[in-house]
Amino acid sequence: MLTIEPEGGICNRLHALNCAIALSRTIGQPLRLIWVVNNNLGCNLTDFLRMPAEIDRMISYNKLDWSWRRKLRYNLQRYARFDYLRPDFARDQIREMVREDFDFESLAKRRNTHIKCGWSFYRNDQAFYPFQPIADVQKRIDRITSQFANTIGVHIRRTDHLPATEFSPTSLFVERMETLLSEDPTTTFFVASDVPEVTAEICTLFGERIITQSDLHRGRSSAQAIKDATVDLFCLAATRMVLGSYLSSFSATAGRLGNIPVEYALSEPDPDVRW
């Protein structure tokens, strides 16, 4: 059996899960998902997405509700009773394996493999997995995207993402949006940002050309905030292109989900990034 334990936020986990599903298909092994609820993502997968049919079994641990009994049970399962729940390849090993162009299909020779990481690790020609939101989230997406007409997605990442903040300033988004409007005055924009002041600034500048969510819950540690982020992600994916933030997995994932181009608002070519 192949086991995937995706790490990070929504998009990091989706990239890892996408690779695991593709690898599982290729090597002909059933896929088990270990989903950890923590400060990076504060709800279960099925709280915002439908369970992919390719997942044979899901095991979930909630580290936000971490009583001593739950912690003891977790440690017993992972380190005493079920050694197959311990990672065989964790983030640093996977990073090195990707760097060395490791043949992940060779893992078919192993009886069990447990991969723990938060990014794409398996290169293949398959399209990005068509993840589907749960019903109530999809209804919100449909309500917003029904307003789309010649719409471009704009994702302005801030808060905890230093490269996006430094190399994709808001002024560059404004300049590019003005250019796109001059080229085609019928253009509208769906704007997603993790800072409400940024969204408000863009709305003030472009008025009725802007479509956006209202009354958002922001953060990562609540199910409602994750649902709101999922709505943003799939709405961006439903546009004709994404104007995104440098090195943001959210921008990149929207492009992969919608199979649309992603253009980054970038202040300089090949910047020297320091996290």
Side-chain angles (χ1 to χ4, degrees):
M1 178 169 280
L2 176 65
T3 300
I4 181 66
E5 184 175 347
E7 296 183 294
I10 296 174
C11 294
N12 294 89
R13 296 195 189 200
L14 292 189
H15 276 279
L17 186 51
N18 168 67
C19 289
I21 290 172
L23 181 58
S24 171
R25 288 170 174 167
T26 301
I27 66 177
Q29 291 187 0
L31 180 62
R32 174 171 45 212
L33 171 64
I34 295 181
W35 190 268
V36 179
V37 178
N38 54 26
N39 288 322
N40 288 320
L41 205 159
C43 64
N44 275 309
L45 173 67
T46 51
D47 289 332
F48 63 100
L49 291 181
R50 295 181 182 179
M51 178 69 72
E54 290 79 358
I55 294 175
D56 185 72
R57 182 186 177 195
M58 183 175 82
I59 301 171
S60 179
Y61 299 105
N62 188 343
K63 290 190 175 182
L64 294 179
D65 184 14
W66 210 227
S67 66
W68 70 267
R69 287 186 176 86
R70 289 179 181 269
K71 188 173 183 179
L72 177 61
R73 179 172 174 266
Y74 172 84
N75 288 329
L76 283 173
Q77 286 183 324
R78 303 237 323 179
Y79 300 101
R81 296 177 60 198
F82 306 122
D83 61 351
Y84 58 80
L85 296 180
R86 294 199 302 269
D88 298 299
F89 303 103
R91 66 189 75 162
D92 291 339
Q93 294 166 286
I94 293 294
R95 185 180 289 112
E96 188 63 28
M97 292 161 76
V98 171
R99 188 179 296 120
E100 295 179 356
D101 201 22
F102 176 78
D103 178 14
F104 281 91
E105 293 178 19
S106 67
L107 297 177
K109 301 173 185 177
R110 298 171 58 96
R111 180 179 175 84
N112 290 295
T113 302
H114 181 162
I115 293 172
K116 179 180 180 179
C117 72
W119 54 82
S120 293
F121 61 87
Y122 173 52
R123 298 174 184 173
N124 63 89
D125 296 328
Q126 299 180 38
F128 201 78
Y129 187 82
F131 295 102
Q132 295 180 304
I134 60 174
D136 66 314
V137 174
Q138 186 63 56
K139 286 181 182 178
R140 293 170 57 195
I141 294 167
D142 293 342
R143 188 163 54 248
I144 294 171
T145 56
S146 67
Q147 306 171 60
F148 287 5
N150 192 24
T151 303
I152 291 173
V154 179
H155 173 234
I156 308 178
R157 177 80 178 269
R158 292 293 176 261
T159 59
D160 60 344
H161 201 290
L162 297 180
T165 303
E166 182 176 359
F167 299 110
S168 295
T170 304
S171 59
L172 282 185
F173 284 95
V174 172
E175 290 175 16
R176 183 61 178 138
M177 291 168 71
E178 289 174 340
T179 299
L180 291 166
L181 264 177
S182 67
E183 294 171 351
D184 185 349
T186 68
T187 300
T188 59
F189 302 96
F190 173 76
V191 177
S193 178
D194 52 357
V195 176
E197 291 78 10
V198 171
T199 304
E201 177 185 350
I202 298 296
C203 288
T204 299
L205 290 171
F206 293 94
E208 62 183 13
R209 295 293 177 191
I210 302 302
I211 304 165
T212 190
Q213 278 200 85
S214 59
D215 302 322
L216 282 171
H217 294 77
R218 291 177 169 84
R220 299 186 178 201
S221 58
S222 75
Q224 190 56 57
I226 298 302
K227 286 183 177 182
D228 290 350
T230 303
V231 171
D232 271 348
L233 179 64
F234 280 81
C235 285
L236 287 170
T239 62
R240 65 179 177 88
M241 67 164 282
V242 173
L243 180 60
S245 297
Y246 184 57
L247 290 185
S248 171
S249 61
F250 204 90
S251 299
T253 305
R256 293 290 305 278
L257 282 169
N259 194 27
I260 54 176
V262 179
E263 175 186 324
Y264 294 99
L266 191 56
S267 59
E268 59 183 83
D270 194 23
D272 181 18
V273 175
R274 298 177 183 179
W275 291 88

